[in-house]
Amino acid sequence: MSKSILITGAATGLGRATAVKLARLGHQIAVIDFNETEGQNTVNMVKEIGAEAIFVKADVANEQQVQNYVEKTIEAFGKIDVFFNNAGLMVPFRLIHEYDEAEYDRVMNVNVKGAFFGVKYVIPHMLENGGGTIVNTVSSNSFKPTAYNGVYSMSKHALNALTKSIGQDYQDKNIYAVGVAPNNMLTNISQSANVTMNEEIYKAIVASTPPNIAATPEEVAEAMIFAMNNSKLLNGSTINCAGGQILI
Ligand SMILES: NC(=O)c1ccc[n+]([C@@H]2O[C@H](COP(=O)([O-])OP(=O)(O)OC[C@H]3O[C@@H](n4cnc5c(N)ncnc54)[C@H](O)[C@@H]3O)[C@@H](O)[C@H]2O)c1
């Protein structure tokens, strides 16, 4: 049966790869991103497959824009069966004391507050609709920080906690949440972190993540779809996609 699936951060990387796979399964996709050009390109890819899609431009850290993307999805598809809370960013690799408030706020506003706003406005519709599934893109940094990545790691630990709390609070209301944790995935997200890269940082990161086998977004998208299809069973837990590098 076709589901209405809302994906944040669907302009590129994992969000796009998952949107395309879900389109092949015949689902309706709401593509949310602040990158309008690539967001529209994802919509075009979904439509070419023959599935329905809308694009809503939004900064997930802006409460009004979050309200708007939820309303636009309800207008287009009548309900939200699955909320894929995926938008995220990184800030430059640094030791914790080297981060300033602006970088701290940037990563927390998007990775944590943006995810909170999303569930805050999606859950009332799921309650009205008799239930739903929330999948959060967490990270191996949700349980094992990589070196020089402390603030990002804090944000992903918080997102893991949000997953558990949704799992706790709504299990009697047919709303289930699952975290999926990519490790090293081949996307462009680390470009913004790499501006501070040097030999010392590189060595520390490699030492903290041996042996660092990268996954493609398409591979991780399969785990996302598994989480969406099995959320009742997996409720409140996280699927670790680190290929054996990190054992939890
Ligand atoms: N690539 C990895 O190695 C890796 C590992 C673990 C977790 N993750 C997580 O996977 C998720 C997807 O990232 P990705 O690797 O596909 O990278 P990506 O940069 O390709 O995708 C992130 C998307 O989020 C969007 N985005 C960022 N900030 C936004 C905002 N404020 N409002 C709206 N959209 C915004 C970007 O435009 C982009 O389309 C992120 O949550 C990231 O933290 C990635």
Side-chain angles (χ1 to χ4, degrees), residues 8-15 32-35 58-61 86-90 110-111 137-140 152 156 181-189:
T8 66
T12 57
L14 178 60
I32 317 299
D33 210 287
F34 61 10
N35 181 340
D59 176 349
V60 298
N86 170 69
L89 53 75
M90 293 181 77
V110 174
N111 295 5
T137 304
V138 297
S139 168
S140 52
Y152 176 81
K156 291 296 183 175
N183 183 35
N184 179 9
M185 184 170 57
L186 296 168
T187 69
N188 291 328
I189 195 168

Side-chain angles (χ1 to χ4, degrees), residues 56-68:
V56 186
K57 185 176 179 182
D59 176 349
V60 298
N62 179 307
E63 187 167 9
Q64 280 184 334
Q65 292 179 28
V66 172
Q67 267 183 288
N68 181 56

